[in-house]
Amino acid sequence: MALWMQISQQLPHLSNQTLSELYPDTFPIDVRHYLANWIEEQRWEDFDLDNVEQEPLARRLLDQMVELLHEVAFHNPNVVERVKLQHISRNMSVFQTQPMQLVRTVRDILRKERHLLRQAPMQPFQQIPTPINGTTQPPREASNHDVDALVLKVLEIQTCRQQIHQLQEELNWEKQEAEPMQGQNELDAKHPDQVTKQNRITQLDYNYQVCAKKRVQLLQEAVCNLEQCQTRLIQRIKSWRWEQLRSTIGLAFDDNLVPLQTWCEQLLGVNSNLRQEVMLVKRDHGSAEHFHQLEENLNRLLQTLIQSSLVVEKQPPQVIKTQSKFSSTVRYLLGEKMAPGKPVVLKAQIITESQARNLGQGVIPTENVGELINSTAILEHNTASKSTCATFRNMSIRKIKRADRKGSESVTEEKFALLFTAEITITGCESPYIVQMISLPVVVIVHGSQENNAMATIIWDCAFSEPNRIPFVVPERVPWSQMCEALSSKFMSEVQTSRGLDGYNLHCLAQKIFDKDISGDFNNMPVSWAQFNKEVLPGRNFTFWQWFEGVIDLTKKCLKAYWSEGLIFGFIGKQHLHVILQNKPNGTFLLRFSDSEIGGITIAYVGPSESGGRKIQNIQPFTKKDLDSAGLGDRIRDINCISHVYPELPKDEVFKKFYTVLSAPHPDGYLPFKLTTVVDPEVLGSTSTPSITPQPETPQDFCLSQEQPFQIPAPLPGGPFSPSYPIDPTVPQMYPPFYGENMRTEPQDHMELEDFLSTLST
C-alpha cells in the first residue's frame, strides 16, 4: 500500500489527461483506492501474458477482486459510494472472457505509477494536525482511511481462509486418488503419474502451510491495528466532550456526532468479524495459547468500545436550582447495534465530586446524596436521524445533601454531576454490559441569589480545567493570559457579538483584579480563584466576577448594537480617561462601563469648570432599569452638554439611528409624552427624584449627579468609531493627573459623596 500512499499525494498535481491514461474506464481509480493493499500484494509481474495455462490463476484474481469490491461496497456507509462501487464491480465482468487482460491492465498501472514517482519532484510533508490540549487529534480523513484499511485487512483474512479451505479440499482429493497406488510395487512407484501425483500433494501441502501461517499473521496484525484505531476513536470522543465543556465560555464547538457514531459502528463490525475469524482458526488449528490471547484482546476491545459509546449530547444546566425543572439528552452511538426486545432504560442519579472520582476506580456510588425526580428515560431509536437517545424532559432535584465544607468554602463552590447508567446488550454478544457516563459538573443552588456565584464556579471550572483530569480538579491559580481568553470569549458569546475585548480593555481589567498599577508584560501574572470571585474589590461590596457579569448582562440586554459598532469604549480608567480627553473641546464625550455600580454605563465628557477652564465630568451611571424607560440613544440626544463622541464625531450623525421618534396622538384623545434626560452641572450631589408629569409641550427634566472618577485604567473597543490612542497599546503606562492650562481635576472625595447618596436613596 506504500505505492498508493505516495502516488495519491501526486494526484492533485497531475493533469486530467494523465489521470485518464493512467486509470482507464475498465479499471477506475476507485478500484485502485479501495483495493490498494490487496493489489500491491499480488505478484502481477510473475505472469507470462502469452501463457494460456495461467488464465485460471488470472481468473481467480479477478473473482477475488470482484468479491472484495462487493464487500467494500457493503461496508461503506456512504450510499453514493456504495452504489458506485456496486456498478464498478459489475463492469469488471468485461475481463471474464480475457482474464489475462486484467493482469496486463493492473501491471501497466503499477509500472506507470512507479515511473511518475521517479519523475515527480519531492512534495513537502503534510502538515501535522495541531495538538488540542496536548493531544494530537487525527483528521477525519485519516480516521476513515484507518477504518478502510481495517475492513480490507478483514477481507484479506476471509479470502485467505477461503483459499485454505479450497487447498484442503484439493489436498484431500489428491490423497484419496493416491491411495490405490500405495499397494503397487517399488517399480510402479517410479511411474511418472505417481511421481506427479506425489509432487502435487507435496505442493498443495506446502501452499496450505504457507496460507495457514499467513492467516495467523494477518489476524495478529488486524487485532493490533484495531486496537490502535479504537484508541484514536476513544481519544476523539474525549476531545468532543472536552470541546463541549469549553463551549461554556463561548469557544467553538462542533456538536455533530454522526462521524463518531459511524466510526463506532464500523469498529464494532470489524471486531465482530475478527472474533468470528479467531473462532474459525481455533477450530482449524486447535486452541493454541496465542489464539486465546487474540480472543481475550478482542473481548477487551469490545467491552471498552461498548462502554465508551455513551455521550451526554445535551448537558443539563450547569447551575440547577432545587424544585425547578430541567432537561438533558443522552445518546448511545451504538444504538443501531443493540439487541432487539426489552427496551433499555437509562437511569440518572446525582453524585458528589468524590463519588465521581471513585467511578474511575470502578466504585459504584451507593450513597444517595440527592433526591432526583423523573430520573428515568428509555433509549429510543429515531430512524430519520439514525440516532438512539434518551431524553429526560422534566427532571428536578427535590433536595440535596451537601458535604462538609472546608474552611471558607461556600455552597456555590461545591460541584456535583449527574450519573447516567444503563444495561445494554449488543447483537451478537451473549451477556449485557453496564454502561455509564457522567455529565459536566453542576452546582446546585436553593435560591436565585446564589446563581451568580454558582456560575463563577462553573466558568472557572470550564475555562481552566485540564483535559483528562480527575473529576473535578481545577487549579487554584491561572496565568492572566488564560483569564483574558476566558473573559473575552465569555463576553462575546453572551452578548452575541464578534467584537471582543481588546488590549486596552484587558489592561484595565488586569489593574482592577490585581488592584495595582501594572506595566510591562503581565500575561504570566497569576490570578487566584479568590481574586476572581471570593474577595470583594477594594472599596466595593462585590467581587470582580459579579461586577464583570453585570456588565455582560447590561450589554447583552440593552447595549449590544452600540458595543458591536464600536460606540462604547467599555472598560477605561480615570487616568487613561484624562489622557485621551485632555486636549478635546467642551462637549466631547465617551461611553464607559461604571466602576462603582454593577451593570451600569456612564458618560464621561469634557465640560467647563468654575474657573473658566475645563474638567472631566462623569454622569451618574445608567442601569438596565434606566435604559428600559429611555434608551441610551435618546438619553445621549437629550443631554445638551455633550455634542461629539470621541474623537470628534457629531453625536447626531453617529447615534441618529438609535433615536426614538415621538408617536402620533393616540386615537382616544390622550396626548403622548416622553421622558427627557437633562444634566445640570450646578446640582452636583443632588438626590432629588423628579416627578414625571405628562405634558406634550413641556418635557420632564432629569438631574443626574456626577459619578466618582475611577482608579483603574482601561481599554478601547475596536469598531467603526474606534478612537486612536496617543499611546502604544502594547506598553501599559501610568498616567498622572493632568493639570493643564485649561483643564483641572476636582480633588473632592467622591467616595464619601457616593456613600452619602447611597444612604439617602436607601
Side-chain angles (χ1 to χ4, degrees):
M1 194 166 182
L3 177 60
W4 173 247
M5 293 180 66
Q6 295 179 60
I7 197 65
S8 60
Q9 295 182 16
Q10 300 292 335
L11 293 180
H13 310 285
L14 301 179
S15 65
N16 292 334
Q17 181 179 355
T18 303
L19 288 173
S20 299
E21 294 174 355
L22 183 58
Y23 304 106
D25 293 338
T26 55
F27 198 91
I29 192 174
D30 307 75
V31 181
R32 181 68 179 95
H33 167 68
Y34 284 106
L35 304 185
N37 193 43
W38 180 85
I39 288 173
E40 293 177 28
E41 286 185 351
Q42 308 310 310
R43 306 179 62 138
W44 306 100
E45 296 291 342
D46 291 349
F47 277 86
D48 181 1
L49 298 180
D50 296 326
N51 188 352
V52 182
E53 294 181 356
Q54 290 186 327
E55 279 194 5
L57 181 56
R59 184 170 284 104
R60 182 183 301 174
L61 289 176
L62 173 62
D63 294 339
Q64 291 178 13
M65 184 177 292
V66 173
E67 184 180 354
L68 287 172
L69 284 173
H70 279 300
E71 290 289 341
V72 172
F74 178 77
H75 289 92
N76 198 311
N78 189 310
V79 177
V80 177
E81 283 293 309
R82 187 188 311 154
V83 173
K84 184 179 180 182
L85 288 171
Q86 291 171 348
H87 180 71
I88 291 174
S89 65
R90 286 194 295 269
N91 289 344
M92 296 293 287
S93 60
V94 298
F95 294 111
Q96 285 292 345
T97 56
Q98 294 179 318
M100 297 299 286
Q101 185 62 35
L102 170 67
V103 175
R104 177 182 286 106
T105 301
V106 177
R107 188 183 65 180
D108 291 347
I109 288 174
L110 296 177
R111 288 176 177 178
K112 291 177 182 178
E113 287 178 350
R114 295 187 187 97
H115 179 70
L116 285 171
L117 287 177
R118 285 193 295 269
Q119 289 186 331
M122 287 292 293
Q123 297 296 327
F125 289 107
Q126 292 183 341
Q127 184 178 2
I128 298 175
T130 304
I132 299 177
N133 304 313
T135 57
T136 301
Q137 303 305 312
R140 185 170 301 173
E141 293 79 6
S143 303
N144 292 340
H145 176 76
D146 289 345
V147 176
D148 291 343
L150 266 174
V151 171
L152 290 176
K153 181 74 74 174
V154 172
L155 294 176
E156 192 176 0
I157 294 171
Q158 293 171 342
T159 302
C160 187
R161 169 171 51 83
Q162 294 167 0
Q163 290 176 347
I164 290 175
H165 181 71
Q166 183 175 353
L167 287 170
Q168 183 67 61
E169 288 183 341
E170 292 181 11
L171 187 59
N172 292 340
W173 174 258
E174 294 292 341
K175 287 181 178 180
Q176 181 179 344
E177 289 290 314
E179 283 181 1
M181 300 182 183
Q182 293 178 357
Q184 298 179 6
N185 56 34
E186 294 182 0
L187 293 177
D188 293 336
K190 295 180 180 179
H191 192 275
D193 291 341
Q194 188 173 355
V195 172
T196 302
K197 184 71 68 177
Q198 190 59 43
N199 290 340
R200 172 68 174 163
I201 292 174
T202 302
Q203 183 63 44
L204 287 173
D205 186 64
Y206 174 78
N207 292 343
Y208 177 88
Q209 297 299 329
V210 170
C211 282
K213 185 177 180 180
K214 180 181 178 182
R215 180 186 184 186
V216 174
Q217 182 180 352
L218 288 173
L219 268 174
Q220 292 172 335
E221 292 175 358
V223 173
C224 181
N225 293 345
L226 174 62
E227 184 167 10
Q228 294 171 354
C229 188
Q230 183 168 305
T231 300
R232 288 190 285 271
L233 165 64
I234 293 175
Q235 182 58 49
R236 185 65 194 93
I237 293 175
K238 290 180 179 178
S239 297
W240 185 92
R241 292 174 183 147
W242 170 254
E243 293 163 10
Q244 185 186 48
L245 171 72
R246 299 277 286 172
S247 68
T248 302
I249 61 170
L251 297 184
F253 170 54
D254 181 7
D255 61 354
N256 182 18
L257 283 168
V258 173
L260 291 178
Q261 177 171 314
T262 302
W263 197 350
C264 288
E265 292 171 348
Q266 288 175 328
L267 291 192
L268 181 66
V270 170
N271 191 298
S272 176
N273 289 334
L274 287 178
R275 283 186 291 120
Q276 183 179 14
E277 292 301 322
V278 170
M279 290 173 58
L280 292 174
V281 81
K282 286 173 63 178
R283 180 200 64 183
D284 296 340
H285 302 285
S287 301
E289 180 62 30
H290 55 277
F291 296 150
H292 285 298
Q293 187 64 45
L294 287 175
E295 198 170 37
E296 289 178 2
N297 289 344
L298 287 171
N299 290 334
R300 173 179 53 81
L301 291 173
L302 176 64
Q303 180 177 351
T304 303
L305 178 63
I306 292 173
Q307 294 180 335
S308 301
S309 299
L310 190 68
V311 294
V312 184
E313 185 173 31
K314 178 189 173 186
Q315 293 285 342
Q318 290 190 262
V319 176
I320 303 176
K321 184 176 176 292
T322 56
Q323 310 294 334
S324 61
K325 294 180 181 179
F326 62 92
S327 63
S328 181
T329 301
V330 180
R331 179 168 174 172
Y332 192 54
L333 301 179
L334 291 175
E336 289 194 328
K337 308 301 180 181
M338 292 192 309
K342 185 179 178 181
V344 177
V345 178
L346 203 67
K347 299 178 181 179
Q349 68 180 104
I350 190 162
I351 60 174
T352 64
E353 183 173 343
S354 61
Q355 289 176 326
R357 292 178 186 175
N358 292 334
L359 280 176
Q361 303 172 0
V363 179
I364 305 297
T366 55
E367 182 184 3
N368 188 7
V369 298
E371 185 177 347
L372 193 64
I373 62 175
N374 298 324
S375 58
T376 60
I378 296 176
L379 274 173
E380 298 178 309
H381 183 67
N382 186 318
T383 53
S385 63
K386 295 185 178 180
S387 61
T388 303
C389 300
T391 302
F392 299 82
R393 293 182 175 83
N394 296 296
M395 277 197 292
S396 178
I397 299 176
R398 182 171 294 174
K399 59 182 179 180
I400 192 72
K401 178 182 177 182
R402 301 195 180 273
D404 296 333
R405 293 189 292 279
K406 311 177 216 177
S408 60
E409 186 181 49
S410 67
V411 295
T412 57
E413 296 177 65
E414 186 177 4
K415 288 177 273 192
F416 296 88
L418 295 185
L419 172 64
F420 300 97
T421 307
E423 188 178 87
I424 294 177
T425 302
I426 297 296
T427 302
C429 299
E430 298 177 356
S431 57
Y433 292 86
I434 302 296
V435 181
Q436 294 181 325
M437 179 48 57
I438 62 172
S439 71
L440 298 181
V442 302
V443 176
V444 181
I445 61 175
V446 297
H447 194 275
S449 61
Q450 299 172 315
E451 184 173 0
N452 189 285
N453 290 330
M455 183 51 68
T457 300
I458 294 302
I459 294 298
W460 186 275
D461 183 275
C462 296
F464 308 126
S465 58
E466 298 292 334
N468 302 319
R469 61 170 173 174
I470 299 173
F472 296 107
V473 176
V474 68
E476 184 65 25
R477 296 175 181 273
V478 296
W480 171 249
S481 58
Q482 290 188 26
M483 176 65 73
C484 289
E485 178 190 7
L487 293 177
S488 188
S489 297
K490 186 63 177 175
F491 188 96
M492 292 172 65
S493 67
E494 287 293 323
V495 178
Q496 292 296 296
T497 178
S498 59
R499 181 189 169 207
L501 306 180
D502 62 16
Y504 292 104
N505 296 137
L506 297 170
H507 180 238
C508 174
L509 294 175
Q511 294 198 114
K512 191 172 189 69
I513 200 170
F514 291 124
D515 187 31
K516 63 180 180 181
D517 300 326
I518 295 177
S519 60
D521 183 9
F522 52 90
N523 283 330
N524 292 323
M525 286 184 63
V527 183
S528 68
W529 160 249
Q531 289 172 308
F532 182 69
N533 193 57
K534 208 163 181 65
E535 301 168 351
V536 296
L537 295 171
R540 308 289 182 229
N541 60 354
F542 45 79
T543 66
F544 175 86
W545 166 254
Q546 291 168 349
W547 170 75
F548 185 77
E549 197 276 335
V551 171
I552 290 178
D553 189 64
L554 176 71
T555 309
K556 174 173 62 176
K557 295 178 179 177
C558 305
L559 306 173
K560 176 182 177 180
Y562 300 90
W563 172 266
S564 298
E565 295 187 21
L567 302 179
I568 298 175
F569 266 67
F571 305 100
I572 180 171
K574 178 183 68 174
Q575 293 167 331
H576 197 183
L577 190 63
H578 279 284
V579 168
I580 66 175
L581 293 181
Q582 61 184 356
N583 296 320
K584 295 300 177 182
N586 288 346
T588 304
F589 72 98
L590 57 81
L591 300 168
R592 66 180 182 84
F593 296 124
S594 172
D595 184 60
S596 59
E597 185 167 347
I598 294 179
I601 188 169
T602 186
I603 300 174
Y605 72 98
V606 181
S609 67
E610 293 82 352
S611 63
R614 291 177 298 153
K615 65 179 179 180
I616 296 178
Q617 299 275 60
N618 291 280
I619 297 175
Q620 179 178 310
F622 301 112
T623 63
K624 178 182 179 299
K625 182 178 179 181
D626 299 323
L627 298 179
D628 284 343
S629 60
L632 182 62
D634 290 338
R635 293 185 181 275
I636 291 173
R637 176 195 59 193
D638 295 341
I639 300 175
N640 295 325
C641 57
I642 58 176
S643 58
H644 289 75
V645 64
Y646 182 87
E648 49 188 17
L649 299 171
K651 71 174 185 180
D652 289 334
E653 292 182 9
V654 176
F655 292 94
K656 183 177 181 180
K657 64 180 178 180
F658 298 105
Y659 295 167
T660 301
V661 180
L662 191 64
S663 59
H666 200 273
D668 58 10
Y670 288 106
L671 296 176
F673 73 92
K674 70 171 184 176
L675 303 180
T676 303
T677 304
V678 176
V679 173
D680 186 356
E682 301 299 326
V683 192
L684 293 177
S686 172
T687 59
S688 58
T689 304
S691 58
I692 302 177
T693 306
Q695 295 180 0
E697 305 294 338
T698 307
Q700 178 64 40
D701 290 349
F702 280 87
C703 181
L704 302 179
S705 65
Q706 177 182 359
E707 188 191 9
Q708 75 168 71
F710 303 141
Q711 303 174 355
I712 316 218
L716 186 175
F721 303 103
S722 298
S724 301
Y725 286 99
I727 58 172
D728 183 356
T730 63
V731 183
Q733 304 176 29
M734 286 303 304
Y735 306 106
F738 179 82
Y739 295 93
E741 180 181 357
N742 298 317
M743 177 85 73
R744 69 182 181 87
T745 57
E746 297 295 325
Q748 58 185 344
D749 189 342
H750 295 279
M751 192 61 219
E752 292 183 3
L753 175 61
E754 181 181 301
D755 291 342
F756 176 70
L757 295 178
S758 177
T759 303
L760 288 178
S761 63
T762 302

